[in-house]
Amino acid sequence: MIASDWGDWLVREIEDATPDGVAIWYLGCNGFVVKGGDGTTIYVDPYFGLGSPPRTIRMIPVPFEPDDVTEADAVLATHEHTDHVHGPSQAPILANTGTTFYAPDDSIAVAREDEAWTDEWEVTGDQLTEITEGDTLEIGEFTVHVEQANDPDSTHPVSYVFEHEAGTFFHGGDTKPTDEFERIGEEYEIDLAALAFGTVGRVPDKQTRELQRTRWYNDENQIVECADALECERLLPSHWDMWKGLTADPTALHHHANSFEYPQRLEIVEIGDRVDLS
């Protein structure tokens, strides 16, 4: 059972908003809500779990409870890890709104088989839709392109490009640099890119509980390398706030970004913050 530290004010703020273009709210970890001026609302990687202490310990508030979500036109997942595909976080949104969950094959397998969403929640099988690289989704006022990602810790990661008349948003999941980003940067005019950032830390091993040197996300050089290849105007670092032992200071990226043409600007946000494309 997920309990929010904040009540429901943030989700009510999102549902009441009428953006002049596109509004994007950061939910912490790698979760985002993308909403267009006509009201189309898309959740990407929403995660409200606490991790698995003492190995993974959530360091930020739970911003709202998924049962409080009443408006959603799609829920997207980038890959199969628990903080990206999580029944208690995402299945109630599907049950409440009747919307569709889009994700790669291994993520769908977690929902169908490992977590049995259709048995544990009021979710039907046709609400779980498999996607793969090269697919294009028309979701309300957004055209969403499924693109490549490079996450060696995942079995099948993807990234998403959200196109809207107000601008283009790239969500990379937990990707690290890949040669594909040069092609993506040339193909789309990316206004804002969200990329995972974190320190190299020490996390207990799953079996032995001994501390292990762990790199799950981009370091300072890798995230700016991604942003430069994508030719994104604005870079929004994500995931840096989430896990004890892997948190980082995103303001350090100003020095690294200054030596590259892109990104032209950093968007440093905290959980609950909103940025806009217009």
Side-chain angles (χ1 to χ4, degrees):
M1 187 71 177
I2 290 174
S4 171
D5 298 305
W6 287 359
D8 68 348
W9 68 264
L10 179 59
V11 71
R12 298 287 82 83
E13 176 182 291
I14 293 169
E15 293 183 352
D16 291 344
T18 54
D20 182 15
V22 175
I24 302 167
W25 287 265
Y26 180 47
L27 303 181
C29 195
N30 225 342
F32 290 84
V33 183
V34 182
K35 186 172 186 179
D38 292 341
T40 302
T41 304
I42 303 173
Y43 282 75
V44 191
D45 283 352
Y47 176 69
F48 308 110
L50 302 181
S52 181
R55 183 168 186 264
T56 50
I57 302 172
R58 185 183 183 106
M59 297 295 290
I60 52 175
V62 177
F64 53 82
E65 297 169 16
D67 277 323
D68 288 330
V69 176
T70 63
E71 298 176 7
D73 294 283
V75 178
L76 276 57
T78 57
H79 62 289
E80 77 286 349
H81 290 166
T82 299
D83 53 340
H84 300 262
V85 178
H86 185 241
S89 297
Q90 296 158 2
I93 300 176
L94 304 188
N96 290 350
T97 65
T99 197
T100 301
F101 178 74
Y102 296 97
D105 51 3
D106 291 349
S107 300
I108 294 293
V110 170
R112 287 190 188 277
E113 300 164 19
D114 298 353
E115 296 188 345
W117 291 11
T118 56
D119 296 331
E120 299 296 326
W121 292 272
E122 293 183 10
V123 174
T124 62
D126 59 4
Q127 287 180 269
L128 307 177
T129 298
E130 181 181 316
I131 51 86
T132 194
E133 297 89 338
D135 288 350
T136 298
L137 308 172
E138 298 295 338
I139 304 173
E141 63 208 271
F142 291 92
T143 298
V144 182
H145 303 277
V146 185
E147 284 289 356
Q148 300 280 341
N150 173 32
D151 180 6
D153 296 316
S154 168
T155 56
H156 188 182
V158 298
S159 61
Y160 294 104
V161 179
F162 297 79
E163 287 191 310
H164 188 278
E165 61 182 12
T168 301
F169 171 54
F170 176 86
H171 188 299
D174 289 354
T175 190
K176 293 184 176 69
T178 169
D179 292 342
E180 286 293 321
F181 284 167
E182 291 187 6
R183 174 189 60 79
I184 293 170
E186 292 175 358
E187 188 168 340
Y188 308 101
E189 294 184 6
I190 298 173
D191 296 287
L192 177 69
L195 294 165
F197 171 57
T199 189
V200 179
R202 300 177 76 206
V203 175
D205 180 80
K206 279 185 178 180
Q207 279 75 41
T208 68
R209 297 300 184 188
E210 293 181 1
L211 291 175
Q212 299 289 332
R213 190 171 187 274
T214 302
R215 180 198 295 270
W216 282 342
Y217 313 116
N218 291 298
D219 64 18
E220 293 88 345
N221 294 307
Q222 289 173 317
I223 193 172
V224 175
E225 179 184 339
C226 290
D228 186 59
L230 291 167
E231 299 183 8
C232 63
E233 181 180 338
R234 298 149 69 189
L235 167 63
L236 191 160
S238 62
H239 231 320
W240 57 270
D241 51 4
M242 187 61 180
W243 301 125
K244 183 175 178 61
L246 294 176
T247 56
D249 179 4
T251 63
L253 296 175
H254 287 288
H255 300 290
H256 294 264
N258 283 342
S259 61
F260 288 84
E261 182 177 1
Y262 299 97
Q264 297 175 354
R265 195 164 97 224
L266 285 174
E267 290 283 356
I268 306 298
V269 297
E270 296 178 325
I271 181 172
D273 286 349
R274 166 179 166 173
V275 296
D276 289 88
L277 303 178
S278 59

